[in-house]
C-alpha cells in the first residue's frame, strides 16, 4: 500500500493517553507524507513543463507570470481591442488579429486610410507642431536652423498674411521668368517667344522635374562617387494605368486644370480647348510611360555613358546634354565631357522627344506651366487650395482638409527635418531604444546569417559573399550623431541659405531653389558611406540603402506597437524586430542582391545561384499576384511588390528565430499580458506582427496604392508571410492546406 494514503482512525473506546500519543504520531506521519507528495508532484510538474518547453521552445511559466506594468496593461488593451477570437487563426490570421479593430475603427475624414502608421504619424505630427510653436529650450535659442524652421512654420500658418499676399508673386514668376501661361492669356499669348530649352531650365531651377528627371545620385557602379541620372519623371496622375480609361480620376484631373485656370483668369475663351489639349498631350506621353513593375523588371536596360557622348547615345531631337549642362550651372557646377550619366527608360525619352517635336508651342507651354502650378496650388490662398483639395479628395477618397497646423508642420519637417529632429529627440526619444535596438539587430543579423548558412540553393562561393555582405551591413538607429552633440556646426551647415521672412510663398520658392542647388552640388561632393542618409529622424519609416549597404531606423518608428523599452520581448521582436529583418532582407531581394557589400552593382553571385534565386522569387511573385483586394475587386501586382514581399517573408522569419534564441537565454523573463494569458509568447509574437498591419482604406486610396505602391496591402503582408512560414503552423497547430497555411510554401529566405 502506498505510504501516506492509510492510517489508523481515532476510536472513542481506546485508552485516552495512548490514543493521544498515537494521534500525534499519525499527524506527524501524515504531514511528512504530504510534504513528500507535494515535493514529488512539484518535481513531476517541473519535469513535464520542461519536456513541453523542449517541444515548443517556450519559456517555462512560473507563478505570477502576468505583467501588470502600465505598458503591459496598455498593450493588452490595444491587442484585445484588435483580435477577433471568433475567427480561427489557421483559417485567416489577418481577420483573427484585426477583426475587432476593423469593425470599430473608421477612416478619418482628412485621410485616405487608417492604420498603425496613420496613428503614429499623427502623433508625431502633433509633436512636431508643438515643437515648432512652444517656447524653445534655452540651449537651442541661438541655433539659426531652428529659428528659420520656426519662421517657415509661422509663415505657413499665418493664413491672413497668405490671403493678403494673394497670387501676384506666383503670376509674376510665370509671366517674367517662365514665359507666361497661355490658358490665362487667351489668344493674346505670343508663341514666337517660346523657348523650350530655357523653359525647362527655369522650371528645374524651381526643383521641377517635368517629363524627365535630371538628378545627382550615387553611382551604382562606384558607390564612392556620384553620377548624373536621367530618366522619366512622374505624370500628373502618377501612373499610366489612370490614362487608359475614362474615370472619376481623369475627370477630376481635368476639372482641376479648368477650375484653377478660371480662378486665375479674366479671359475664359480658350480654357476649355486648352484643358483638353493639355490632357491629351499628357495622355500621349502616358502611353510610353513605364509602370513601376516594368521599371523593376527592366533595371538592366539602363544605359551608362558620359556627358560628351550623351547626345549620340540617346539620339533625340531634344538636346539633353545641353539642358543638363545648363541645369548644373544653376549651382555653379560646370560639367565635363567625362562626367558619367546613367539613362533609364530610354525608349520613353526617345518617344516623348518625338511627341514634343510634333506639338505646338501653345500646348507645350500650357502643359509645362500647368505642372508647375499643379504643385504650387497648395501654397496659395485658401480659394486656390480648395481647388487642389477637391482633386485630392477624389484621388485619396477624403472628405475633409487636414488642419492647417498639421499641414504646415509636415511641410517644415519635410524640408528642414534635421532642425526639427534636434528638438524632437531631446523631448521624445528614449535613449534605451538605441541600445536595445542594437542588440536586436545583432540577434536578427545572426539569425539571417544562420539562414544563409543553411540554405540549400546557394553555392559555396555565393553563400560566402552573401554572409560577408550581411556582416558588413551598417546600421543607423534613432538619429545622426551630430544631432545629439552640443556642436551645432553640421546642423547649421546643412541649412545654409535657409533664411526666411514672413512671406510664405517667398519662403516656398526659396526652398525649391535651395533643394535644386543642393542636389546639383552633390556631384562634386565626397561620399561618406557611413553617414546618415537624407531622411530625417522625425519620420515613421525604416530604410535599406543599397549603395551604402545600410539600414536605418529613425526615431519616429521606435515607438509602440513597434517598440517600447518596457515591452515583453515577444512584442518588440514581432514589431520592430520584423522591421529590422525586413530591412536586412532588402539587401538580398531582387534589387538589393545586385549590389555587393560595398554598394556596387556588380555580378557577385554565380549564374546558377541567380537562376535558383529567380525560381524562388517567381513563387513569391505568383503567390501575391493571386491575391485580390475584394474591396475594389482588383488583383495585386506581384511583380511590382516582389521586393517588399521578399523582405516581409524573410524579415518575419529572422525576427522569430532571433526571439526564440533570446527566449532560450532569458527563461522566465517575458511575462504574459493580462487578458491574453492563454496565448504563448510565440503566438503573441505573431499577433503583434499582424496587428501592426491592420488597415482600412477608402476605395480611391486603395486603388492609388495598388497602382503606385511597392508594398502589398496590409492584409496580404500578414497572410502572405504567415502562410509561408512553417513555424506559424506549428505555433498555432495549423494543418497544411488550411486557409492560412499554404501547402506549397514560397521561400526565398
Amino acid at each position: 500500500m502506498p505510504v501516506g494514503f492509510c492510517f489508523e482512525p481515532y476510536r472513542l473506546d481506546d485508552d485516552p493517553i495512548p490514543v493521544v500519543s498515537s494521534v500525534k504520531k499519525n499527524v506527524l506521519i501524515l504531514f511528512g507524507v504530504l510534504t513528500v507528495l507535494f515535493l514529488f508532484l512539484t518535481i513531476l510538474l517541473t519535469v513535464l513543463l520542461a519536456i513541453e518547453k523542449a517541444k515548443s521552445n517556450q519559456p517555462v511559466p512560473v507563478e505570477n507570470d502576468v505583467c501588470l506594468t502600465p505598458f503591459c496593461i496598455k498593450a493588452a488593451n490595444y491587442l484585445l481591442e484588435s483580435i477577433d477570437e471568433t475567427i480561427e487563426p489557421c483559417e485567416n490570421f489577418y481577420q483573427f488579429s484585426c477583426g475587432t479593430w476593423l469593425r470599430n475603427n473608421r477612416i478619418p475624414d482628412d485621410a485616405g486610410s487608417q492604420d498603425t502608421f496613420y496613428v503614429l504619424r499623427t502623433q508625431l505630427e502633433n509633436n512636431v507642431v508643438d515643437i515648432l510653436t512652444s517656447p524653445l529650450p534655452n540651449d537651442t535659442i541661438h541655433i539659426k536652423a531652428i529659428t528659420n524652421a520656426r519662421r517657415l512654420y509661422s509663415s505657413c500658418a499665418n493664413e491672413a498674411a497668405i490671403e493678403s499676399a494673394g497670387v501676384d508673386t506666383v503670376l509674376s514668376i510665370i509671366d517674367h521668368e517662365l514665359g507666361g501661361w497661355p490658358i490665362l492669356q487667351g489668344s493674346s499669348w505670343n508663341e514666337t517667344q517660346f523657348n523650350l530649352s530655357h523653359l525647362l531650365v527655369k522650371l528645374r531651377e524651381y526643383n521641377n522635374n517635368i517629363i524627365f528627371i535630371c538628378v545627382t545620385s550615387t553611382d551604382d557602379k562606384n558607390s564612392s562617387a556620384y553620377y548624373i541620372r536621367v530618366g522619366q519623371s512622374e505624370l500628373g496622375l502618377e501612373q499610366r494605368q489612370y490614362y487608359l480609361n475614362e474615370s472619376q480620376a481623369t475627370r477630376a484631373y481635368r476639372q482641376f486644370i479648368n477650375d484653377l485656370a478660371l480662378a486665375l483668369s479674366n479671359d475664359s475663351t480658350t480654357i476649355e480647348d486648352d484643358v483638353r489639349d493639355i490632357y491629351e498631350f499628357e495622355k500621349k506621353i502616358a502611353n510610353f510611360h513605364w509602370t513601376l513593375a516594368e521599371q523593376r523588371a527592366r533595371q538592366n536596360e539602363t544605359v551608362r555613358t558620359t556627358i560628351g557622348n550623351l547626345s549620340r547615345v540617346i539620339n533625340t531631337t531634344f538636346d539633353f546634354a545641353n539642358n543638363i549642362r545648363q541645369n548644373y550651372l544653376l549651382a555653379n557646377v560646370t560639367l565635363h565631357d567625362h562626367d558619367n550619366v546613367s539613362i533609364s527608360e530610354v525608349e520613353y525619352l526617345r518617344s516623348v522627344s518625338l511627341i514634343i517635336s510634333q506639338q505646338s508651342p501653345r500646348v507645350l507651354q500650357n502643359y509645362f506651366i500647368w505642372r508647375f502650378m499643379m504643385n504650387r496650388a497648395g501654397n496659395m490662398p485658401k480659394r486656390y487650395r480648395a481647388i487642389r483639395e477637391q482633386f485630392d479628395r477624389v484621388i485619396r477618397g477624403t472628405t475633409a482638409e487636414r488642419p492647417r497646423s498639421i499641414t504646415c508642420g509636415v511641410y517644415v519637417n519635410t524640408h528642414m527635418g534635421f532642425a526639427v529632429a534636434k528638438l524632437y529627440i531631446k523631448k521624445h526619444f528614449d535613449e534605451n531604444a538605441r541600445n536595445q535596438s542594437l542588440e536586436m539587430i545583432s540577434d536578427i543579423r545572426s539569425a539571417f546569417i544562420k539562414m544563409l548558412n543553411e540554405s540549400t540553393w546557394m553555392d559555396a562561393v555565393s553563400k560566402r559573399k552573401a554572409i560577408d555582405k550581411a556582416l558588413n551591413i551598417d546600421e543607423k538607429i534613432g538619429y545622426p550623431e551630430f544631432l545629439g552633440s552640443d556642436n551645432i556646426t553640421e546642423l547649421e551647415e546643412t541649412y545654409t541659405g535657409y533664411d526666411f521672412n514672413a512671406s510664405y510663398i517667398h519662403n516656398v520658392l526659396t526652398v525649391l531653389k535651395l533643394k535644386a542647388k543642393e542636389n546639383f552640388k552633390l556631384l562634386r561632393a565626397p561620399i561618406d558611406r557611413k553617414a546618415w542618409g537624407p531622411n530625417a529622424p522625425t519620420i515613421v519609416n525604416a530604410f535599406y540603402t543599397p549603395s551604402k549597404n545600410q539600414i536605418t531606423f529613425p526615431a519616429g518608428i521606435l515607438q509602440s506597437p513597434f517598440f517600447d523599452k518596457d515591452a515583453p520581448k515577444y512584442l518588440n521582436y514581432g514589431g520592430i524586430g520584423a522591421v529590422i529583418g525586413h530591412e536586412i532582407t532588402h539587401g538580398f531581394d531582387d534589387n538589393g542582391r545586385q549590389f555587393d557589400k560595398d554598394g556596387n552593382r556588380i555580378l557577385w553571385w554565380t549564374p546558377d545561384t541567380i537562376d535558383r534565386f529567380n525560381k524562388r522569387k517567381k513563387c513569391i511573385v505568383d503567390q501575391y499576384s493571386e491575391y485580390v483586394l475584394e474591396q475594389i475587386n482588383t488583383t495585386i501586382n506581384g511583380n511590382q511588390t516582389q521586393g517588399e514581399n521578399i523582405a516581409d517573408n524573410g524579415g518575419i522569419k529572422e525576427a522569430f528565430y532571433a526571439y526564440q534564441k533570446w527566449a532560450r537565454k532569458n527563461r522566465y523573463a517575458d511575462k504574459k499580458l493580462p487578458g491574453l494569458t492563454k496565448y504563448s509568447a510565440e503566438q503573441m509574437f505573431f499577433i503583434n506582427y499582424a496587428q501592426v498591419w491592420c488597415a482600412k482604406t477608402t476605395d480611391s486610396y486603395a486603388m492609388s496604392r495598388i497602382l503606385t505602391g511597392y508594398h502589398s496591402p496590409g492584409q496580404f503582408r500578414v497572410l502572405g508571410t504567415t502562410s509561408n512560414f512553417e513555424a506559424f503552423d506549428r505555433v498555432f497547430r495549423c494543418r497544411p492546406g488550411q486557409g492560412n497555411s499554404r501547402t506549397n510554401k514560397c521561400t526565398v529566405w
Side-chain angles (χ1 to χ4, degrees), residues 649-679:
N649 277 268
I652 192 174
K653 292 178 182 179
E654 294 148 37
F656 182 78
Y657 295 145
Y659 173 69
Q660 282 188 313
K661 184 177 179 180
W662 180 91
R664 286 193 292 270
K665 291 181 179 178
N666 298 272
R667 298 173 64 190
Y668 315 122
D670 258 356
K671 294 187 176 182
K672 296 189 174 186
L673 298 182
L676 294 161
T677 55
K678 66 180 176 181
Y679 297 107

Side-chain angles (χ1 to χ4, degrees), residues 420-466:
V420 173
K422 177 73 174 177
L423 299 171
Y424 178 87
I425 61 176
K426 290 171 69 71
K427 190 171 184 178
H428 297 287
F429 186 67
D430 189 332
E431 289 298 325
N432 284 303
R434 288 187 121 187
N435 297 330
Q436 289 192 36
S437 296
L438 281 170
E439 293 176 7
M440 292 178 70
I441 288 174
S442 177
D443 291 345
I444 293 166
R445 189 202 313 257
S446 296
F448 179 68
I449 290 173
K450 187 173 185 293
M451 289 163 60
L452 279 172
N453 270 316
E454 294 174 352
S455 67
T456 58
W457 57 272
M458 297 187 81
D459 60 74
V461 173
S462 301
K463 185 181 295 187
R464 185 171 63 252
K465 291 180 178 179

